[in-house]
Amino acid sequence: MVDAAVDTLVRCAADAGAEVAYAAKAFATIGFLRHLAQHSIGVDVCSLGELITAERAGFAPERITLHGAGKSNEELAAAASGRIGRIAVDGIEELERLAAISRDSCAAGVLLRLNVRVEAGQHAFVRTGGDDTKFGIHARDEEAAVALLARNPQLRFVGLHAHIGSQVYESAAYAANAAALLDAAQRFAHRGLTSSEIVMGGGFGVPSHPNAVPEQLDVAAAIAAAARCVRDAARERGLPSPRLGIEPGRSIVALAGTTLYRVLARKRQTSRTFVVVDGGIAENPRPALYGAHHHVVGVARPEGELEEVTLCGRSCENDELGTVELPPNVRAGALLAMCSTGAYTYSMAGNYNRVVRPAVVALAGGSHHPLARRENLDEVLARDILE
Ligand code: PLP
């Protein structure tokens, strides 16, 4: 499923003259990235942990781009020393810090991540391009960015970036982002900086339910429209046509992932029936964080009439995982499958209530192999200082 998603994206991108990099934040283990490294795609990382995972998976520096709204000195040093091919700088202060850390040589090319004030995405928490977000360089700071780059010739400007949000279903949002980026490219060109790359982020929406046809984004159309927009706008402005990059995360892994939960309790309260499972906010925080919805089915053959129930985690929070319809035989001991949890589920898991993170198993061609083993309690306790 992952291979098919990558192949489709690479084909759509190639048709439009664009390049693909996988956003590792969606899901990353060394084995998984090693598999993706066999495809003709790059990878985006946004922490030292993701960078090391990509390195150990075999991604060469030139295939790696470093992102992040707040980068540590160690991460900036990784850009300077040649461990990555591109760094997407997210603010003026960060550009100053990169200049200081890199002194007279910075191996990574510099993309400036702009806040182009185009916003898209289902929930405020996953919108990253609008006026009211922490992401990107504000238009008022563009001049300062140009001056900083001029004072620091070790920083090689390669182009502009803007990621507008996640779970985007409107193709027009990508064209709007591309148009805004080309307007910015023209402003930078007037100040002497030519953009050879324009990267329009990821965010391609995936359906949250198997029958959710209206939610489907036509990715090929979205990429083609953005590429057309970049080409036409560059021609109209007399700019050399920049290379277009896209950074999908969710649309590569979301549908490939299924979470298996064991039911721990089913109980009727005053007005609702609750089904409590052996997971929740610790290993799947997105429903509580921004109302992410997943389709859920019982693994056993259903018996009896479906009842609307509230699916909950086992944590000491009201960690509702959604309202779903389940038959009465889904009670303590039953297995549930939650669909489309491949993206931003395992990668966002933590240890609240000192629970362990689950194992991840890959299935392909009728066989399976583990990608991550289940954490054990000794590992959870290992960081405690006893004296
Ligand atoms: N690129 C950047 C800069 C991002 O911040 C994100 C997600 O937050 C992505 C790409 C991937 O987005 P998605 O997984 O929705 O495709």
Side-chain angles (χ1 to χ4, degrees):
M1 210 165 186
V2 166
D3 287 336
V6 175
D7 288 343
T8 304
L9 279 162
V10 169
R11 192 167 8 87
C12 297
D15 288 348
E19 284 173 16
V20 180
Y22 171 64
K25 70 198 84 180
F27 175 80
T29 68
I30 295 171
F32 183 70
L33 291 192
R34 192 172 284 154
H35 184 77
L36 288 190
Q38 296 164 16
H39 290 268
S40 55
I41 60 173
V43 64
D44 289 352
V45 300
C46 60
S47 69
L48 212 54
E50 287 182 7
L51 171 59
I52 291 171
T53 308
E55 287 173 334
R56 294 199 185 161
F59 277 96
E62 60 273 17
R63 294 172 73 190
I64 305 177
T65 302
L66 176 65
H67 278 284
K71 299 184 186 70
S72 68
N73 286 346
E74 226 174 334
E75 286 155 0
L76 295 177
S81 68
R83 288 174 65 186
I84 57 172
R86 303 264 180 284
I87 177 168
V89 174
D90 210 279
I92 292 299
E93 210 180 50
E94 183 178 303
L95 197 54
E96 282 166 355
R97 289 174 53 225
L98 179 65
I101 282 176
S102 60
R103 293 215 185 103
D104 41 37
S105 108
C106 178
V110 173
L111 282 165
L112 295 180
R113 178 171 178 171
L114 304 182
N115 189 324
V116 292
R117 303 171 84 179
V118 174
E119 64 175 60
Q122 262 188 337
H123 189 284
F125 283 15
V126 294
R127 273 178 229 137
T128 53
D131 253 344
D132 194 27
T133 73
K134 68 181 174 185
F135 298 98
I137 297 172
H138 194 279
R140 88 170 88 75
D141 291 330
E142 285 176 8
E143 191 130 16
V146 173
L148 251 159
L149 289 169
R151 282 200 305 278
N152 292 279
Q154 80 276 24
L155 301 182
R156 183 171 43 91
F157 174 77
V158 293
L160 301 173
H161 174 287
H163 167 81
I164 50 178
S166 215
Q167 286 291 56
V168 178
Y169 294 108
E170 317 86 38
S171 172
Y174 288 99
N177 189 27
L181 277 166
L182 259 288
D183 284 342
Q186 186 172 32
R187 293 195 295 277
F188 278 82
H190 282 151
R191 292 165 176 146
L193 292 178
T194 304
S195 302
S196 55
E197 295 174 26
I198 291 289
V199 185
M200 61 171 200
F204 307 111
V206 299
S208 57
H209 188 281
N211 304 326
V213 178
E215 277 185 340
Q216 193 85 46
L217 172 81
D218 184 341
V219 178
I223 298 171
R228 225 177 7 255
C229 185
V230 166
R231 261 194 319 272
D232 293 350
R235 198 177 42 245
E236 281 159 23
R237 290 162 173 78
L239 301 171
S241 200
R243 228 173 43 225
L244 179 64
I246 58 168
E247 303 169 331
R250 186 190 310 274
S251 52
I252 287 179
V253 275
L255 299 181
T258 300
T259 300
L260 287 179
Y261 288 116
R262 181 78 62 188
V263 174
L264 299 179
R266 178 175 185 137
K267 53 171 138 168
R268 180 79 193 158
Q269 301 292 63
T270 307
S271 57
R272 289 197 279 170
T273 298
F274 292 87
V275 168
V276 181
V277 297
D278 62 345
I281 199 166
E283 53 69 52
N284 185 2
R286 295 172 51 256
L289 197 57
Y290 44 76
H293 178 74
H294 295 276
H295 184 57
V296 176
V297 290
V299 171
R301 184 189 295 276
E303 284 169 19
E305 290 217 347
L306 293 178
E307 184 194 2
E308 187 176 279
V309 305
T310 303
L311 194 66
C312 288
R314 53 163 294 169
S315 83
C316 302
E317 296 286 317
N318 277 317
D319 58 350
E320 296 183 10
L321 292 164
T323 304
V324 297
E325 292 202 325
L326 292 173
N329 63 328
V330 172
R331 48 193 332 108
L335 270 182
L336 286 182
M338 181 179 274
C339 307
S340 322
T341 55
Y344 304 105
T345 304
Y346 183 74
S347 62
M348 289 174 89
N351 291 120
Y352 178 49
N353 285 155
R354 311 218 101 184
V355 296
V356 296
R357 275 173 269 228
V360 185
V361 181
L363 306 177
S367 62
H368 68 277
H369 66 272
L371 287 175
R373 63 165 175 72
R374 191 168 197 255
E375 213 172 12
N376 64 48
L377 277 173
D378 285 337
E379 288 165 316
V380 176
L381 302 177
R383 293 180 305 272
D384 292 359
I385 295 168
L386 301 181
E387 290 156 26

